Amino acid sequence: MDSFIIAALALCSLTAPAYGDKGTSKARSCSDMRQFYNAKGFPLDTVPQSEISGEHLRICPQGYTCCTSGMEDNLASLSRREMEGLLKDAGRALQVSLTGQYKAFDGYFLDLLNRSEVALQETFTQAWGPLYSQNAQVFSDLYTELRRYCRSANVNLEEVLNDFWTRLLEKLFNQANRQYLIGEDYLECVSKQMETLRPFGDTPRDLTPKITRTFVAARTFIQGLVASGEVVRKVSQVQLSHECMRAMMRMTYCPHCRSMASARPCANYCSNVMKGCLANQADLNTEWRNLADTLMQVANRFDGPSGVDVVILSLPNGISEAMSTMMENIDTVNSKVRIGAHKTMNLMPLSPYFQVSDVTKRLRDMQPYWVSLPSILCADRVATGAGAEDKCWNGMNRARYLPEVMGDGLASQINNPEVEIDITKPDMMIRQQIMQLKVMTHRLKQALNGKDVDFQDTSDDVSGSGSGMCADDVCRGPRMSVPSTDRPKLYAYPPENKKVVKGSASQNLPCITIYLLSLVTLLLRR
């Protein structure tokens, strides 16, 4: 009997696990853990003075430990808060980059509009004199509406441009025929025959589509950057799962409970933990890349001879040419009018605070963000150096980590050994953001074709609340209503069954003249 007891004791001594950094089997002091635990803001009254048996542990290995079950719960909650803080910090850095790009382009675009309006005021005052000063409100209203459109106000760009050309026609026609008393009905008749008369020549047909494409692309680009930042903000605030919390605790603080404070996680071990915790976030990757690609395509449209600066700064020149054509068509005396000032107006180069090459580089750099997060978050915490793979913390002890590294995304985590995940239950908030990315990419692709997609608040509040990176009323949800702006219909004919011209003794220029002129024009074209 004595020999059996001696043999059993000998066997136990041989198979007893090693504890602590130095591998001793003797219960060690918990002074380091007490100091560490207190530094994290927790009281010392529940911390053991020396290691105790760990059968009570539910996350960490159940060997000798310096952690009670209460300490394990506290540290697990702490590990989740710290992880969520790291995700918010990483997301905030990306938001700052996107906000910087948004502010740079928004400021640049509005500055171009301001410079264009100033140039128009200066050149038109000299070139057109009273004809401009007496009708300055028409031009001022145009720029005001263009600014409102850029701010995503409820502005129909097609209607704005149509209204501008109509009002300009009426004002110029009135000015060129001051010797006549022209009534409102007559002016309405004139404006409704613009398509046939073509008083501005080809300028509206050439200029309006350019303005439309430029402003649609600019506004959609701005809102694409805003939407991207909102997605980052929302996803960065998603609460981590209970299973992720347990995995983070096991990787981060269980070594401290085992008196192995100096043990750092194995690289592959950390990768599996992070890939499991961020599986849903990684599923953003495809649509996030698509959005970045499309943003770069739109940004490239802002450069070159048909770039945003050329279109906006040449707007006064185009309007002036249209006015010259108008006056020439109506009064042969005014056909000699030539505008000298606007012919020599220099197009200023891109503002120094916005460069297309800079924004495309930043967009390209942000493309792998969601699948790069695990490696980014593991970079500063894993064991490194010679022999690190054999001495790192693998979740149980200091030893090599043997499981393979999982792929990216929820579906790839079905066999993740570190984080238990139900791949059939994706995070719905993140799925909503994936849909937001798809919608925004669609809008940008429409903008590349000159098509406008209206923005307005949605009742289901897909974009959520919070400050995010919204400025003014830029952040809006989608309304998939696509006005046709491929080729705006500038002029409309009056209905045949509607009497559009009323007889009046005050009209010394009868409207029938306009109809006869239209008929003659059509016959001459044949």
Side-chain angles (χ1 to χ4, degrees), residues 481-512:
S481 168
V482 186
S484 176
T485 54
D486 284 332
R487 182 183 172 187
K489 297 179 180 178
L490 295 176
Y491 317 118
Y493 290 97
E496 294 182 1
N497 62 348
K498 182 179 180 181
K499 187 176 181 182
V500 295
V501 182
K502 298 179 180 179
S504 172
S506 66
Q507 296 173 353
N508 296 332
L509 287 178
C511 192
I512 190 65

Side-chain angles (χ1 to χ4, degrees), residues 279-507:
N280 283 281
Q281 286 84 339
D283 282 343
L284 288 158
N285 181 58
T286 299
E287 294 305 327
W288 182 258
R289 285 180 174 273
N290 288 340
L291 177 60
D293 278 334
T294 315
L295 280 170
M296 286 188 280
Q297 292 177 41
V298 175
N300 288 330
R301 292 284 183 91
F302 300 147
D303 212 353
S306 60
V308 60
D309 60 327
V310 177
V311 172
I312 295 179
L313 294 180
S314 63
L315 182 56
N317 180 54
I319 295 174
S320 185
E321 289 181 352
M323 292 171 63
S324 295
T325 302
M326 168 76 182
M327 300 306 293
E328 182 179 349
N329 288 343
I330 290 182
D331 193 338
T332 57
V333 175
N334 293 331
S335 64
K336 302 297 183 180
V337 173
R338 292 292 181 265
I339 307 302
H342 74 271
K343 296 289 186 180
T344 58
M345 184 178 67
N346 294 323
L347 294 181
M348 298 181 67
L350 288 170
S351 299
Y353 51 85
F354 177 81
Q355 293 290 340
V356 171
S357 58
D358 180 60
V359 72
T360 54
K361 180 183 182 302
R362 291 176 181 271
L363 290 170
R364 190 175 294 110
D365 290 343
M366 82 177 194
Q367 282 187 299
Y369 175 76
W370 298 109
V371 292
S372 298
L373 270 178
S375 59
I376 291 173
L377 296 176
C378 284
D380 296 331
R381 68 172 68 211
V382 299
T384 57
E389 292 184 359
D390 295 320
K391 300 177 182 178
C392 54
W393 173 254
N394 65 6
M396 295 297 294
N397 213 325
R398 282 180 178 271
R400 178 179 290 269
Y401 183 75
L402 299 179
E404 64 178 348
V405 177
M406 300 292 101
D408 298 309
L410 186 61
S412 300
Q413 309 308 313
I414 188 170
N415 294 317
N416 192 314
E418 308 306 332
V419 187
E420 184 178 347
I421 302 176
D422 185 350
I423 65 171
T424 66
K425 295 180 179 179
D427 185 280
M428 297 312 297
M429 170 60 77
I430 292 180
R431 297 295 143 172
Q432 285 183 339
Q433 299 312 304
I434 292 175
M435 181 56 65
Q436 284 288 82
L437 294 175
K438 288 182 178 180
V439 170
M440 193 66 244
T441 300
H442 171 74
R443 294 174 185 162
L444 288 163
K445 288 181 178 179
Q446 293 290 88
L448 285 171
N449 296 322
K451 296 180 180 180
D452 194 9
V453 179
D454 194 17
F455 287 72
Q456 71 172 16
D457 293 326
T458 53
S459 58
D460 58 352
D461 192 20
V462 175
S463 62
S465 59
S467 59
M469 52 187 291
C470 298
D472 298 324
D473 58 345
V474 171
C475 296
R476 293 173 177 266
R479 182 179 71 185
M480 300 307 292
S481 168
V482 186
S484 176
T485 54
D486 284 332
R487 182 183 172 187
K489 297 179 180 178
L490 295 176
Y491 317 118
Y493 290 97
E496 294 182 1
N497 62 348
K498 182 179 180 181
K499 187 176 181 182
V500 295
V501 182
K502 298 179 180 179
S504 172
S506 66
Q507 296 173 353

